[in-house]
């Protein structure tokens, strides 16, 4: 049952599911009857009781809006008119929506599939007269052990008496996970065979900080984990104190700790964690839950909403990044033998200019309501950057002619996520307004490895010497040309990476919302001089194993 704890990224990997660090729960497995649909993850610090209720309301409202979607309703009605029963019609259409969401690359969008399944189950329960499991009044120190946990069930948990939650499936960014974090319930998800291994009535310790489950613990183990629980709660209070502080090194170097989002609503979590802005808005979310592309007006409203939530803080919007493992059927992408090396992201957009211009105009219009920046993904050549900027200029001219307000000086940046972009970073920096390093793809492309392939996953690390040199070069080229350089990949939250990034000169760390406070705290423990000394030694090392071993000894 034990998971693999990664101190590098502050997360736990359990059968491919990466989740945030949590607290420790001690209690007993309680029998779960009825519908076994439940998901969960770690704790989001700094939530009050009122904010938990707000989260529940937001999620329930989101479900209401989703089921009221005219397209979803019309598709269900079409099937029923053709003779399909209501239960089957709901199942078919909800499954179709869930499949579209599940094809997303980022976890935030992918986990929306769970919300669609929740809606489907609730509707089917109403139609079939089935009742959901009752979890609002549990015995003290109960540990819920289930296959999956949907938001509607999570919201009804007896938070006073639930010590922890264990599930076989689920994702860290699901709405159930958000609720669990808000309620402060430790959990481990993605444990294969869980419900067959742990039975009702078993005494168990859930160490979600290290991703392990201890059935039938001894008195000594219980005492040990009670002490660890108290220690964790103290650390939680310490992190909460960084909510209103700046991201600043111990010797006063001012940096930024921003958040990554997949929808306008996600910007609220960034604000609740005191984020300095949004370093990456993945706009694919707006395109993936429908059968046709969103209009310019729909996109404008989404970008405007995020900007207003951020109240003047920076919002970097990445233009449509499809292809690879993100297939949107209505956009007509042909099947490719190697889609990650194929017709995707900026390549697709430059060939589909009307679709691209519609998005650019929406972003420009929204820039009148906040500090918005445009970022092009998967840049590999100067021509791509120049063509993208040319389209931005054309869209500006169109809006001027229509008398529509926008920020004339909006910044246009490059997402450095290919080896090519890193190699020509000195050239790109002369024509881009900023860089943002996407370490996930940069690592994969540099190391020529697929992180989802277990046979080569050992190569996938931003701490590989070659990847570190790509990152270092990119940052240095940006600094030399007077532009800011951020990082929106997972490495920005990696505590082993942070001193190196400080030394290289990174100015913005853009991470998941729950990681903002921890990144801010880690930054505060380093001086630039200390980081430089560590970095000098790392750059002399020739293997990733050497680098990791050394960094673990000093971080």
């Amino acid at each position: 049952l034990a998971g693999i704890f990664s101190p590098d990224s502050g997360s736990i990997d359990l059968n491919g599911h990466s989740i945030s660090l949590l607290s420790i729960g001690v209690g007993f497995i309680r029998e779960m009857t009825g519908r076994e649909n439940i998901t969960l993850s770690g704790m989001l610090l700094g939530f009050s009781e009122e904010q938990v209720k707000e989260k529940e309301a937001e999620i329930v409202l989101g479900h209401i809006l989703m089921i009221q979607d005219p397209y979803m309703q019309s598709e269900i009605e079409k099937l029923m008119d053709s003779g399909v029963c209501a239960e089957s019609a709901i199942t078919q259409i909800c499954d179709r929506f869930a499949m579209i969401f599940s094809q997303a690359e980022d976890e935030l969008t992918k986990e929306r599939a769970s919300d669609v399944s929740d809606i489907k189950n609730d509707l089917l329960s109403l139609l079939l007269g089935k009742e959901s499991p009752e979890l609002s009044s549990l015995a003290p120190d109960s540990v819920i052990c289930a296959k999956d946990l949907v938001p509607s069930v999570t919201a009804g948990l007896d938070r006073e008496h639930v010590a922890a939650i264990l599930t076989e499936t689920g994702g860290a960014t699901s709405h159930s996970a958000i609720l669990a974090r808000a309620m402060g319930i430790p959990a481990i998800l993605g444990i294969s065979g869980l419900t067959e291994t742990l039975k009702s009535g078993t005494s168990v310790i859930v160490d979600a900080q290290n991703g392990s489950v201890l059935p039938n613990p001894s008195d000594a183990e219980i005492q040990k984990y009670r002490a660890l629980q108290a220690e964790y709660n103290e650390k939680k209070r310490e992190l909460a104190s960084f909510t209103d502080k700046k991201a600043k090194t111990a010797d006063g170097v001012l940096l930024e700790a921003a958040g990554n989002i997949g929808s306008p609503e996600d910007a609220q979590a960034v604000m609740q964690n005191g984020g300095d802005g949004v370093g990456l808005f993945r706009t694919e979310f707006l395109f993936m839950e429908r059968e046709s592309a969103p209009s310019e007006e729909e996109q404008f409203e989404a970008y405007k909403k995020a900007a207003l939530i951020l109240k003047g803080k920076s919002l970097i919007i990445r233009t449509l990044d499809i292809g690879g493992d993100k297939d949107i059927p209505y956009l007509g992408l042909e099947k490719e033998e190697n889609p990650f090396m194929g017709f995707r992201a900026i390549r697709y957009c430059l060939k589909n200019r009307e679709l691209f211009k519609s998005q650019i105009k929406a972003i420009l219009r929204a820039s009148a309501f906040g500090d918005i920046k445009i970022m092009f993904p998967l840049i590999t050549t100067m021509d791509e950057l120049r063509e993208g900027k040319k389209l931005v200029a054309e869209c500006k001219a169109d809006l001027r002619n229509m008398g529509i307000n926008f920020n004339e000086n909006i910044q246009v940046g490059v997402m450095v996520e290919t080896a090519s972009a890193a190699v020509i970073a000195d050239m790109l920096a002369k024509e881009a307004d900023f860089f943002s390093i996407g370490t996930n793809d940069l690592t994969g492309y540099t190391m020529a490895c697929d992180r989802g392939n277990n046979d080569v996953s050992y190569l996938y690390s931003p701490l590989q010497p070659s990847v570190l040199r790509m990152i270092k070069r990119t940052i240095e080229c940006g600094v030399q040309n007077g532009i800011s350089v951020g990082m929106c990949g997972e490495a920005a939250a990696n505590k082993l990476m942070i001193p190196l990034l400080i030394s290289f000169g990174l100015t913005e760390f853009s991470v998941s919302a729950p990681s903002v406070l921890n990144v801010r705290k880690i930054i505060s423990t380093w001086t630039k001089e200390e980081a430089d000394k560590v970095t000098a030694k790392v750059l002399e090392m020739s293997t990733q194993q050497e680098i990791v071993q050394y960094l673990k000894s000093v971080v």
Side-chain angles (χ1 to χ4, degrees):
L1 291 176
I4 302 170
F5 170 51
S6 170
D8 302 350
S9 62
S11 65
I12 304 160
D13 190 274
L14 288 156
N15 300 324
H17 296 285
S18 181
I19 67 176
S20 301
L21 294 185
L22 313 176
S23 178
I24 295 164
V26 182
F28 301 90
I29 298 296
R30 300 298 179 189
E31 187 172 2
M32 178 85 181
T33 58
R35 190 180 70 192
E36 289 189 322
N37 277 331
I38 320 191
T39 126
L40 221 353
S41 173
M43 276 203 290
L44 182 60
L45 307 179
F47 270 92
S48 66
E49 185 73 15
E50 290 71 23
Q51 288 170 328
V52 171
K53 292 176 181 176
E54 287 174 10
K55 275 293 168 193
E56 291 176 359
E58 287 173 14
I59 291 168
V60 171
L61 178 59
H63 284 194
I64 292 171
L65 293 175
M66 194 177 290
I67 196 58
Q68 288 178 340
D69 179 78
Y71 177 75
M72 177 181 274
Q73 289 188 357
S74 65
E75 290 297 290
I76 292 173
E77 289 169 1
K78 283 180 188 177
L79 285 178
M80 291 174 65
D81 289 342
S82 70
V84 176
C85 70
E87 293 86 349
S88 179
I90 287 169
T91 299
Q92 290 182 49
I93 300 305
C94 286
D95 286 351
R96 185 195 303 174
F97 270 72
M99 181 189 69
I100 292 172
F101 279 118
S102 65
Q103 291 175 339
E105 177 189 58
D106 64 281
E107 290 299 317
L108 283 170
T109 304
K110 187 179 293 184
E111 289 300 338
R112 297 295 75 79
S114 176
D115 293 296
V116 178
S117 297
D118 193 7
I119 291 170
K120 179 183 75 173
N121 290 332
D122 281 342
L123 290 174
L124 292 177
S125 293
L126 288 170
L127 289 170
L128 298 171
K130 290 187 175 181
E131 293 185 2
S132 298
E134 177 56 54
L135 298 177
S136 60
S137 56
L138 298 170
D141 293 329
S142 293
V143 174
I144 294 178
C145 177
K147 290 185 180 296
D148 188 24
L149 188 63
V150 292
S152 60
V153 176
T154 310
L157 287 176
D158 178 0
R159 64 193 70 164
E160 292 289 327
H161 292 157
V162 176
I165 300 179
L166 304 172
T167 69
E168 291 189 2
T169 62
T173 53
S174 67
H175 273 151
S176 289
I178 293 169
L179 282 174
R181 285 193 285 267
M183 289 187 277
I185 301 175
I188 301 177
L189 50 85
I191 307 175
S192 180
L194 171 70
T195 54
E196 296 175 2
T197 306
L198 289 180
K199 302 302 179 183
S200 180
T202 303
S203 176
V204 64
I205 290 175
V206 177
D207 180 357
Q209 188 165 5
N210 291 299
S212 63
V213 178
L214 286 70
N216 301 309
S218 65
D219 291 341
E221 285 174 324
I222 292 175
Q223 186 175 358
K224 170 188 172 182
Y225 279 93
R226 289 291 187 197
L228 288 172
Q229 192 175 47
E231 181 182 332
Y232 175 86
N233 289 333
E234 179 57 35
K235 289 181 179 179
K236 182 176 72 170
R237 285 189 288 272
E238 182 185 356
L239 271 187
S241 70
F242 282 86
T243 303
D244 298 320
K245 292 182 179 179
K246 294 289 185 181
K248 187 185 297 185
T249 62
D251 54 345
V253 179
L254 190 61
L255 304 171
E256 292 185 7
N260 300 331
I261 66 174
S263 70
E265 293 75 16
D266 294 333
Q268 192 63 51
V270 174
M271 292 294 284
Q272 288 169 341
N273 282 272
D276 295 316
V278 167
L280 172 63
F281 184 165
R282 303 179 180 93
T283 58
E284 299 76 54
F285 177 88
L286 303 175
F287 289 75
M288 296 186 76
E289 56 176 307
R290 51 196 307 130
E291 292 295 305
S292 61
S295 66
E296 177 187 322
E297 192 65 27
E298 288 175 297
Q299 293 187 67
F300 161 66
E301 290 294 340
Y303 307 144
K304 173 185 173 183
K305 180 177 181 180
L308 292 176
I309 289 172
L310 291 173
K311 298 179 180 178
K313 293 183 177 181
S314 176
L315 170 62
I316 297 178
I317 300 177
R318 182 177 70 185
T319 57
L320 183 60
D321 184 6
I322 57 160
D325 60 354
K326 290 176 286 189
D327 181 27
I328 302 176
Y330 66 80
L331 291 180
L333 285 167
E334 295 183 3
K335 293 291 183 183
E336 298 177 281
E337 288 188 14
N338 194 343
F340 285 98
M341 300 286 187
F343 191 47
R344 57 171 295 205
I346 193 68
R347 302 167 182 179
Y348 176 89
C349 289
L350 290 176
K351 292 287 186 179
N352 293 271
R353 298 198 168 209
E354 290 308 309
L355 178 75
F356 197 21
K357 288 180 71 173
S358 174
Q359 181 175 39
I360 292 172
K361 286 180 182 178
I363 296 172
L364 286 171
R365 290 171 58 194
S367 70
F369 298 89
D371 181 15
I372 289 178
K373 302 172 185 177
I374 300 172
M375 180 165 66
F376 298 139
L378 207 76
I379 292 293
T380 55
T381 69
M382 287 296 295
D383 287 335
E384 290 167 339
L385 173 58
R386 288 169 180 169
E387 280 299 301
K389 291 180 70 175
K390 181 180 176 182
L391 284 181
V392 172
E394 290 178 13
C395 291
K396 284 182 175 181
D398 291 343
L399 294 179
R400 278 191 216 101
N401 291 335
M402 292 185 286
I404 297 176
N405 292 329
F406 62 91
N407 178 11
E408 287 279 2
N409 300 313
I410 190 170
Q411 291 191 6
V412 178
V414 167
M415 191 166 180
V416 179
E417 53 187 331
T418 66
S420 174
V423 170
I424 63 169
D426 55 330
M427 302 179 194
L428 292 171
K430 289 178 170 60
E431 299 188 27
D433 294 317
F434 65 91
F435 285 160
S436 185
I437 303 172
T439 52
N440 298 346
D441 273 344
L442 181 60
T443 301
Y445 287 128
T446 300
M447 297 304 300
C449 70
D450 176 3
R451 59 177 166 169
N453 184 333
N454 290 333
D455 292 330
V456 297
S457 60
Y458 68 95
L459 294 168
Y460 185 86
S461 170
L463 288 166
Q464 290 282 1
S466 55
V467 181
L468 285 177
R469 280 158 175 74
M470 289 286 188
I471 294 171
K472 180 175 183 289
R473 171 176 174 74
T474 300
I475 297 173
E476 287 177 345
C477 290
V479 171
Q480 289 167 6
N481 286 275
I483 66 172
S484 63
V485 183
M487 179 177 285
C488 54
E490 292 178 5
N494 185 330
K495 70 176 182 179
L496 300 185
M497 284 285 296
I498 287 176
L500 307 182
L501 298 175
I502 292 172
S503 177
F504 292 161
L506 192 77
T507 54
E508 178 200 65
F509 296 71
S510 191
V511 298
S512 65
S515 298
V516 168
L517 296 178
N518 195 48
V519 166
R520 193 171 284 158
K521 178 189 173 185
I522 295 171
I523 289 173
S524 73
T525 65
W526 288 93
T527 65
K528 178 69 163 58
E529 183 180 0
E530 291 168 342
D532 287 343
K533 288 179 180 178
V534 168
T535 300
K537 290 187 178 181
V538 165
L539 292 176
E540 293 174 355
M541 298 174 182
S542 57
T543 71
Q544 185 239 352
Q545 288 79 10
E546 287 179 271
I547 292 170
V548 170
Q549 185 176 1
Y550 167 67
L551 288 175
K552 285 182 177 180
S553 72
V554 297
V555 171

